[in-house]
Amino acid sequence: MDVMPKWADVVLIPLISLILAATLSAIVILAIGESPTNALKIMVDGALGSTYGWGYTLYYATNFIFTGLAVSIAFHARMFNIGGEGQAMMGGLGVALVCMFIPWPHWSLALLGGIVAAAVFGAAWAAIPAFLQAKRGSHIVITTIMFNFIAAALLNYLLIGALKPQGSMEPATGKFPEATHLPNLHDVLGFFGIEFSKAAPANITFFVAILACVAVWALIWRTKLGYELRAFGHSESAAKYAGISPTKIIMVSMLISGGLAGMMAINNVQGEAERLVLNAVEGAGFIGIAVALMGRSHPFGVFLAAILFGFLYQGGAELALWTKIPREMIVVIQALVILFTGALDNMVRMPLERAFLAAKRRNKGAA
Amino acid sequence: MTQAPAIELKGISKAFGPVQANKDISIRVMPGTIHGIIGENGAGKSTLMSILYGFYKADKGEIFIAGKKVQIPDSQAAIAAGIGMVFQHFKLVENFTVLENVVLGAEDSGLLRPSLARARRELKALAEEYGLNVEPDALIEDIGVGMQQRVEILKALYRKADILILDEPTGVLTPAEADQFFRILERLKAEGKTIILITHKLREIMETTDTVSVMRRGEMTATVKTSETSPAELAELMVGRKVLLRVDKAPAKVGATVLEVKDLNVTDNKGVHRLKGINFHVKAGEILGIAGVAGNGQSELLEVLGGYEKATGSITVNGQTIDLTGTHSDGRSRRARGIAHVPEDRQREGLIMDFTAWENVAFGYHHDPKYQRGIFMDNAAIKDDTVGKMERFDVRPPDPKLAAKSFSGGNQQKIVLAREIERNPDLLLIGQPTRGVDIGAIEFIHQQIVALRDQGKAILLVSVELEEILSLSDRIAVMFDGRMMGERLPAQTDEKELGLMMAGITKGEAA
């Protein structure tokens, strides 16, 4: 029985959780000896106060949308894909290879090529753990984590060897050819006559990410595959009764998940760095888990949560720049947000449900 | 009356969120009697007993034991007050001996040996006093369910219980074991124990109790002397309207063979031989009922026929051979062959409890072209279909957007039935059609099954309720230990004979 209206579940609970997380963060900042209001002001100014700040916020958010969607779609099939990090690294490798070795005539084609390569490499990296889960019963959480390390080692090996330009001292590929460079938001929005910072890294991939949100939504709630995926996620025994193959669902959900995580590379590798560097993913694969958790595995929720984490990332960087608050503080704030919105969900939900119930009773009594 | 009641509840109320599970319930149980509590699923019987046993705290009300007001905050207090409870699902440690299970939680001290020695002596005394013989050193996993139930009763007696609460005690017993069980109850009563029997089986109430209380929707609707009431009256009190207890059906018009099963064998993934050379057939226009105590291969049989368990042997439907290896067939291809399946466990298999009613109506048939629009599913079409099905099958509340878990057991079952029956299948597999379903809905479900038979469809009915098998089936087969014990016509057999067959004894051996 639903005791709460839907808006309370979707809006009120995350909001209260966020306020709690912010309050605790404020106490920690106070303890460091800084002013929380000042810190908040710096974060808001730095992340949202200028198109430059927005450019960074949206750039980070784009990464998190992809990895968040990746975790979400797997989660609908009750697969816990912890391997977004490794899959995104491999996506980067795919992007680097097509950008370096295929002579693209125009950035739009290079973007399509990048998307395909990133998705295929990411999906391939998820395919092995998925196969082991489906056929051998090896736990997907364990295998995907292990594959993160294998991906990192593989990229290390390639970036100090085969992919490094002759004579370079840096473990990175050379700059990709000009034709593969993606337009950033300055170019895209400029086309519509909107001023946007030229220096910020947010690029056209942001719109690809929005399209991905819509596509994932349609896939989950409007297609047979999505239906089977959710059915399997809710009850494996019922799925078997209905003739849904567990092997197929495990494989397909993980391939899509890996593909989405891989697609992050068109943002950070092709769009921003324009070359493949070591540790290009910077933990975005793990942030995706928090984003999916907070976004309730719904694409729109993932979008909002990704923007929030983008804000925390960019605002946190500014905080470290302008105050004595260390860079690590932002990890604390993120952890608190994850703790309250994810793990402590029931702490907010229970009293709220009781409050709604009491209100309902009172109304009934009055009527 | 001079004697104080063994238990008296006064004005007990308990709410779970918006649900009023118990509303102002008062009841008096006299010592040395068997008091039945009957009611449909969700009527509040278990909640009331849980309050009495200290699992829940009542919002309002008082409990008196032997005339003295008591507080029962937990089960330890209940035991101290002399209340023992035997749950529907036994709480025994499978790989402990009988003796160890009896002592568990009631040890005299940190050292086990003296406790066990004392328990052995007391068990012997109890066995003599009440005729409850068990082998104290047998492992629980090696003894039958009837024996396990005795251990549960002994556990309560060992803890000096004067009042025994028995929750649906015969659900897992064969008719013969049940008869034995009721003899034990008579003995306990003769020795002065007070017994509260919770059940939804009218027959048990009529045969064993002295007084019976009827619960409906959290309220106690009546308490009557059993000798002054009738099953029809009790059913009416339970449901709130007149109920047909027997199924009216015309003689079967039997057609061609639809399902033919030959030498079917199933070995599960632990290497246990579950089905051992099963042979039978079902013809169009007839209901073949399969009786048996749960766990004798009926579930595996349904799973094989439904397409999600591998087997060897042969199955033909309308003369066409069906693949049993699992490589070329699954639930989906079975449906395409005209086999519909109402599974035994609707909550685990038949429905996705978190899905809405309309999503569940498409379940298993989500490939139906009628439900597609281009690459997408036509959710509007499914919802439309659901509205019609809910109306025709009287699903309440008729809201397609409600999650399956929000419906009562009976209405959940109606959703599954509507989905499967309206596919117009040649063969309907139906397992435990009325398990956990209220009496009012049972009547409706039985009518639907018979109506499908009268349309000339073949129906394979699996049920552990012998009454259901006897009243619905045109032929009855009995399963025991993965084998078919034989077939009988309902007119030529009775519960006693079927009961023996369910225990693995055929007439020749018994005589």
Side-chain angles (χ1 to χ4, degrees), chain B residues 66-90:
Chain B
K68 253 179 34 207
K69 188 175 169 183
V70 290
Q71 297 289 336
I72 303 180
D74 52 34
S75 55
Q76 293 296 329
I79 291 166
I83 300 173
M85 184 134 172
V86 176
F87 294 91
Q88 189 175 3
H89 303 284
F90 304 148

PDB file of all heavy atoms in Angstrom, chain B residues 66-90:
ATOM      1  N   ALA B  66      -5.710 -17.420  33.010  1.00  0.00           N
ATOM      2  CA  ALA B  66      -6.279 -18.034  34.219  1.00  0.00           C
ATOM      3  C   ALA B  66      -6.785 -16.965  35.175  1.00  0.00           C
ATOM      4  O   ALA B  66      -6.562 -17.025  36.379  1.00  0.00           O
ATOM      5  CB  ALA B  66      -5.238 -18.942  34.903  1.00  0.00           C
ATOM      6  N   GLY B  67      -7.425 -15.939  34.617  1.00  0.00           N
ATOM      7  CA  GLY B  67      -8.045 -14.914  35.427  1.00  0.00           C
ATOM      8  C   GLY B  67      -7.120 -13.782  35.851  1.00  0.00           C
ATOM      9  O   GLY B  67      -7.562 -12.806  36.429  1.00  0.00           O
ATOM     10  N   LYS B  68      -5.808 -13.926  35.552  1.00  0.00           N
ATOM     11  CA  LYS B  68      -4.861 -12.899  35.975  1.00  0.00           C
ATOM     12  C   LYS B  68      -4.415 -12.067  34.782  1.00  0.00           C
ATOM     13  O   LYS B  68      -4.070 -12.597  33.729  1.00  0.00           O
ATOM     14  CB  LYS B  68      -3.633 -13.557  36.611  1.00  0.00           C
ATOM     15  CG  LYS B  68      -3.626 -13.366  38.113  1.00  0.00           C
ATOM     16  CD  LYS B  68      -2.446 -14.016  38.828  1.00  0.00           C
ATOM     17  CE  LYS B  68      -1.145 -14.048  38.087  1.00  0.00           C
ATOM     18  NZ  LYS B  68      -0.312 -15.189  38.517  1.00  0.00           N
ATOM     19  N   LYS B  69      -4.401 -10.743  34.948  1.00  0.00           N
ATOM     20  CA  LYS B  69      -3.982  -9.876  33.856  1.00  0.00           C
ATOM     21  C   LYS B  69      -2.471 -10.014  33.643  1.00  0.00           C
ATOM     22  O   LYS B  69      -1.711  -9.984  34.598  1.00  0.00           O
ATOM     23  CB  LYS B  69      -4.335  -8.423  34.183  1.00  0.00           C
ATOM     24  CG  LYS B  69      -4.102  -7.517  33.001  1.00  0.00           C
ATOM     25  CD  LYS B  69      -4.559  -6.093  33.257  1.00  0.00           C
ATOM     26  CE  LYS B  69      -4.029  -5.222  32.139  1.00  0.00           C
ATOM     27  NZ  LYS B  69      -4.338  -3.828  32.293  1.00  0.00           N
ATOM     28  N   VAL B  70      -2.054 -10.174  32.402  1.00  0.00           N
ATOM     29  CA  VAL B  70      -0.621 -10.323  32.133  1.00  0.00           C
ATOM     30  C   VAL B  70      -0.189  -9.382  31.011  1.00  0.00           C
ATOM     31  O   VAL B  70      -0.996  -8.932  30.207  1.00  0.00           O
ATOM     32  CB  VAL B  70      -0.263 -11.766  31.729  1.00  0.00           C
ATOM     33  CG1 VAL B  70      -0.382 -12.706  32.893  1.00  0.00           C
ATOM     34  CG2 VAL B  70      -1.123 -12.230  30.570  1.00  0.00           C
ATOM     35  N   GLN B  71       1.112  -9.114  30.986  1.00  0.00           N
ATOM     36  CA  GLN B  71       1.734  -8.392  29.874  1.00  0.00           C
ATOM     37  C   GLN B  71       2.594  -9.410  29.131  1.00  0.00           C
ATOM     38  O   GLN B  71       3.318 -10.168  29.753  1.00  0.00           O
ATOM     39  CB  GLN B  71       2.632  -7.260  30.389  1.00  0.00           C
ATOM     40  CG  GLN B  71       1.910  -6.181  31.166  1.00  0.00           C
ATOM     41  CD  GLN B  71       1.039  -5.320  30.276  1.00  0.00           C
ATOM     42  OE1 GLN B  71       1.279  -5.206  29.071  1.00  0.00           O
ATOM     43  NE2 GLN B  71       0.003  -4.728  30.866  1.00  0.00           N
ATOM     44  N   ILE B  72       2.498  -9.423  27.793  1.00  0.00           N
ATOM     45  CA  ILE B  72       3.337 -10.346  27.041  1.00  0.00           C
ATOM     46  C   ILE B  72       4.175  -9.554  26.036  1.00  0.00           C
ATOM     47  O   ILE B  72       3.795  -9.378  24.888  1.00  0.00           O
ATOM     48  CB  ILE B  72       2.479 -11.411  26.320  1.00  0.00           C
ATOM     49  CG1 ILE B  72       1.625 -12.159  27.357  1.00  0.00           C
ATOM     50  CG2 ILE B  72       3.372 -12.395  25.578  1.00  0.00           C
ATOM     51  CD1 ILE B  72       0.746 -13.223  26.780  1.00  0.00           C
ATOM     52  N   PRO B  73       5.318  -9.056  26.500  1.00  0.00           N
ATOM     53  CA  PRO B  73       6.139  -8.228  25.609  1.00  0.00           C
ATOM     54  C   PRO B  73       6.956  -9.067  24.614  1.00  0.00           C
ATOM     55  O   PRO B  73       7.328  -8.584  23.572  1.00  0.00           O
ATOM     56  CB  PRO B  73       7.058  -7.460  26.560  1.00  0.00           C
ATOM     57  CG  PRO B  73       7.142  -8.340  27.773  1.00  0.00           C
ATOM     58  CD  PRO B  73       5.862  -9.107  27.861  1.00  0.00           C
ATOM     59  N   ASP B  74       7.255 -10.317  24.947  1.00  0.00           N
ATOM     60  CA  ASP B  74       8.029 -11.138  24.001  1.00  0.00           C
ATOM     61  C   ASP B  74       7.672 -12.610  24.196  1.00  0.00           C
ATOM     62  O   ASP B  74       6.899 -12.967  25.090  1.00  0.00           O
ATOM     63  CB  ASP B  74       9.541 -10.915  24.192  1.00  0.00           C
ATOM     64  CG  ASP B  74       9.955 -11.103  25.636  1.00  0.00           C
ATOM     65  OD1 ASP B  74       9.370 -11.963  26.327  1.00  0.00           O
ATOM     66  OD2 ASP B  74      10.867 -10.384  26.090  1.00  0.00           O
ATOM     67  N   SER B  75       8.255 -13.476  23.378  1.00  0.00           N
ATOM     68  CA  SER B  75       7.859 -14.875  23.420  1.00  0.00           C
ATOM     69  C   SER B  75       8.329 -15.556  24.705  1.00  0.00           C
ATOM     70  O   SER B  75       7.705 -16.502  25.175  1.00  0.00           O
ATOM     71  CB  SER B  75       8.381 -15.612  22.184  1.00  0.00           C
ATOM     72  OG  SER B  75       9.764 -15.450  22.069  1.00  0.00           O
ATOM     73  N   GLN B  76       9.421 -15.038  25.298  1.00  0.00           N
ATOM     74  CA  GLN B  76       9.870 -15.590  26.590  1.00  0.00           C
ATOM     75  C   GLN B  76       8.769 -15.441  27.639  1.00  0.00           C
ATOM     76  O   GLN B  76       8.480 -16.352  28.419  1.00  0.00           O
ATOM     77  CB  GLN B  76      11.132 -14.865  27.077  1.00  0.00           C
ATOM     78  CG  GLN B  76      12.369 -15.104  26.227  1.00  0.00           C
ATOM     79  CD  GLN B  76      12.816 -16.544  26.246  1.00  0.00           C
ATOM     80  OE1 GLN B  76      12.640 -17.244  27.232  1.00  0.00           O
ATOM     81  NE2 GLN B  76      13.378 -17.017  25.136  1.00  0.00           N
ATOM     82  N   ALA B  77       8.127 -14.261  27.623  1.00  0.00           N
ATOM     83  CA  ALA B  77       7.051 -14.000  28.580  1.00  0.00           C
ATOM     84  C   ALA B  77       5.868 -14.920  28.297  1.00  0.00           C
ATOM     85  O   ALA B  77       5.207 -15.402  29.222  1.00  0.00           O
ATOM     86  CB  ALA B  77       6.623 -12.536  28.483  1.00  0.00           C
ATOM     87  N   ALA B  78       5.603 -15.169  27.014  1.00  0.00           N
ATOM     88  CA  ALA B  78       4.492 -16.047  26.649  1.00  0.00           C
ATOM     89  C   ALA B  78       4.751 -17.453  27.178  1.00  0.00           C
ATOM     90  O   ALA B  78       3.871 -18.094  27.757  1.00  0.00           O
ATOM     91  CB  ALA B  78       4.310 -16.059  25.139  1.00  0.00           C
ATOM     92  N   ILE B  79       5.987 -17.912  27.004  1.00  0.00           N
ATOM     93  CA  ILE B  79       6.343 -19.251  27.479  1.00  0.00           C
ATOM     94  C   ILE B  79       6.200 -19.313  28.999  1.00  0.00           C
ATOM     95  O   ILE B  79       5.633 -20.251  29.557  1.00  0.00           O
ATOM     96  CB  ILE B  79       7.780 -19.613  27.039  1.00  0.00           C
ATOM     97  CG1 ILE B  79       7.808 -19.803  25.524  1.00  0.00           C
ATOM     98  CG2 ILE B  79       8.270 -20.863  27.760  1.00  0.00           C
ATOM     99  CD1 ILE B  79       9.189 -19.835  24.919  1.00  0.00           C
ATOM    100  N   ALA B  80       6.678 -18.240  29.666  1.00  0.00           N
ATOM    101  CA  ALA B  80       6.574 -18.192  31.127  1.00  0.00           C
ATOM    102  C   ALA B  80       5.116 -18.230  31.572  1.00  0.00           C
ATOM    103  O   ALA B  80       4.788 -18.775  32.626  1.00  0.00           O
ATOM    104  CB  ALA B  80       7.258 -16.931  31.655  1.00  0.00           C
ATOM    105  N   ALA B  81       4.230 -17.659  30.749  1.00  0.00           N
ATOM    106  CA  ALA B  81       2.809 -17.639  31.095  1.00  0.00           C
ATOM    107  C   ALA B  81       2.124 -18.957  30.739  1.00  0.00           C
ATOM    108  O   ALA B  81       0.928 -19.109  30.927  1.00  0.00           O
ATOM    109  CB  ALA B  81       2.113 -16.481  30.375  1.00  0.00           C
ATOM    110  N   GLY B  82       2.897 -19.897  30.206  1.00  0.00           N
ATOM    111  CA  GLY B  82       2.351 -21.212  29.909  1.00  0.00           C
ATOM    112  C   GLY B  82       1.745 -21.344  28.527  1.00  0.00           C
ATOM    113  O   GLY B  82       0.926 -22.214  28.274  1.00  0.00           O
ATOM    114  N   ILE B  83       2.170 -20.459  27.613  1.00  0.00           N
ATOM    115  CA  ILE B  83       1.643 -20.537  26.245  1.00  0.00           C
ATOM    116  C   ILE B  83       2.702 -21.168  25.338  1.00  0.00           C
ATOM    117  O   ILE B  83       3.862 -20.776  25.360  1.00  0.00           O
ATOM    118  CB  ILE B  83       1.286 -19.137  25.710  1.00  0.00           C
ATOM    119  CG1 ILE B  83       0.228 -18.491  26.607  1.00  0.00           C
ATOM    120  CG2 ILE B  83       0.797 -19.220  24.270  1.00  0.00           C
ATOM    121  CD1 ILE B  83      -0.062 -17.052  26.275  1.00  0.00           C
ATOM    122  N   GLY B  84       2.296 -22.161  24.561  1.00  0.00           N
ATOM    123  CA  GLY B  84       3.198 -22.771  23.592  1.00  0.00           C
ATOM    124  C   GLY B  84       2.614 -22.590  22.207  1.00  0.00           C
ATOM    125  O   GLY B  84       1.399 -22.585  22.047  1.00  0.00           O
ATOM    126  N   MET B  85       3.498 -22.425  21.219  1.00  0.00           N
ATOM    127  CA  MET B  85       2.981 -22.192  19.875  1.00  0.00           C
ATOM    128  C   MET B  85       3.634 -23.155  18.899  1.00  0.00           C
ATOM    129  O   MET B  85       4.841 -23.363  18.935  1.00  0.00           O
ATOM    130  CB  MET B  85       3.281 -20.741  19.473  1.00  0.00           C
ATOM    131  CG  MET B  85       2.713 -20.375  18.132  1.00  0.00           C
ATOM    132  SD  MET B  85       1.881 -18.778  18.231  1.00  0.00           S
ATOM    133  CE  MET B  85       1.528 -18.479  16.536  1.00  0.00           C
ATOM    134  N   VAL B  86       2.820 -23.749  18.032  1.00  0.00           N
ATOM    135  CA  VAL B  86       3.354 -24.575  16.955  1.00  0.00           C
ATOM    136  C   VAL B  86       3.033 -23.873  15.651  1.00  0.00           C
ATOM    137  O   VAL B  86       1.866 -23.688  15.301  1.00  0.00           O
ATOM    138  CB  VAL B  86       2.735 -25.987  16.959  1.00  0.00           C
ATOM    139  CG1 VAL B  86       3.248 -26.787  15.774  1.00  0.00           C
ATOM    140  CG2 VAL B  86       3.066 -26.695  18.261  1.00  0.00           C
ATOM    141  N   PHE B  87       4.086 -23.450  14.971  1.00  0.00           N
ATOM    142  CA  PHE B  87       3.888 -22.664  13.768  1.00  0.00           C
ATOM    143  C   PHE B  87       3.588 -23.562  12.575  1.00  0.00           C
ATOM    144  O   PHE B  87       3.897 -24.751  12.569  1.00  0.00           O
ATOM    145  CB  PHE B  87       5.133 -21.829  13.464  1.00  0.00           C
ATOM    146  CG  PHE B  87       5.381 -20.772  14.496  1.00  0.00           C
ATOM    147  CD1 PHE B  87       6.182 -21.032  15.596  1.00  0.00           C
ATOM    148  CD2 PHE B  87       4.796 -19.526  14.371  1.00  0.00           C
ATOM    149  CE1 PHE B  87       6.405 -20.064  16.556  1.00  0.00           C
ATOM    150  CE2 PHE B  87       5.020 -18.558  15.328  1.00  0.00           C
ATOM    151  CZ  PHE B  87       5.819 -18.820  16.416  1.00  0.00           C
ATOM    152  N   GLN B  88       2.999 -22.921  11.565  1.00  0.00           N
ATOM    153  CA  GLN B  88       2.696 -23.624  10.321  1.00  0.00           C
ATOM    154  C   GLN B  88       3.985 -24.168   9.705  1.00  0.00           C
ATOM    155  O   GLN B  88       4.045 -25.297   9.263  1.00  0.00           O
ATOM    156  CB  GLN B  88       2.023 -22.632   9.384  1.00  0.00           C
ATOM    157  CG  GLN B  88       1.457 -23.256   8.154  1.00  0.00           C
ATOM    158  CD  GLN B  88       0.709 -22.217   7.331  1.00  0.00           C
ATOM    159  OE1 GLN B  88       0.668 -21.041   7.675  1.00  0.00           O
ATOM    160  NE2 GLN B  88       0.122 -22.655   6.256  1.00  0.00           N
ATOM    161  N   HIS B  89       5.010 -23.320   9.678  1.00  0.00           N
ATOM    162  CA  HIS B  89       6.319 -23.770   9.208  1.00  0.00           C
ATOM    163  C   HIS B  89       7.151 -24.053  10.443  1.00  0.00           C
ATOM    164  O   HIS B  89       7.397 -23.161  11.246  1.00  0.00           O
ATOM    165  CB  HIS B  89       6.960 -22.704   8.335  1.00  0.00           C
ATOM    166  CG  HIS B  89       6.102 -22.344   7.165  1.00  0.00           C
ATOM    167  ND1 HIS B  89       5.987 -23.166   6.073  1.00  0.00           N
ATOM    168  CD2 HIS B  89       5.285 -21.303   6.951  1.00  0.00           C
ATOM    169  CE1 HIS B  89       5.133 -22.626   5.226  1.00  0.00           C
ATOM    170  NE2 HIS B  89       4.684 -21.489   5.733  1.00  0.00           N
ATOM    171  N   PHE B  90       7.543 -25.295  10.586  1.00  0.00           N
ATOM    172  CA  PHE B  90       8.219 -25.710  11.809  1.00  0.00           C
ATOM    173  C   PHE B  90       9.516 -24.956  12.019  1.00  0.00           C
ATOM    174  O   PHE B  90      10.224 -24.619  11.085  1.00  0.00           O
ATOM    175  CB  PHE B  90       8.523 -27.213  11.768  1.00  0.00           C
ATOM    176  CG  PHE B  90       7.296 -28.048  11.542  1.00  0.00           C
ATOM    177  CD1 PHE B  90       7.375 -29.240  10.853  1.00  0.00           C
ATOM    178  CD2 PHE B  90       6.062 -27.627  12.005  1.00  0.00           C
ATOM    179  CE1 PHE B  90       6.248 -29.997  10.637  1.00  0.00           C
ATOM    180  CE2 PHE B  90       4.937 -28.380  11.808  1.00  0.00           C
ATOM    181  CZ  PHE B  90       5.024 -29.582  11.112  1.00  0.00           C
TER     182      PHE B  90
END
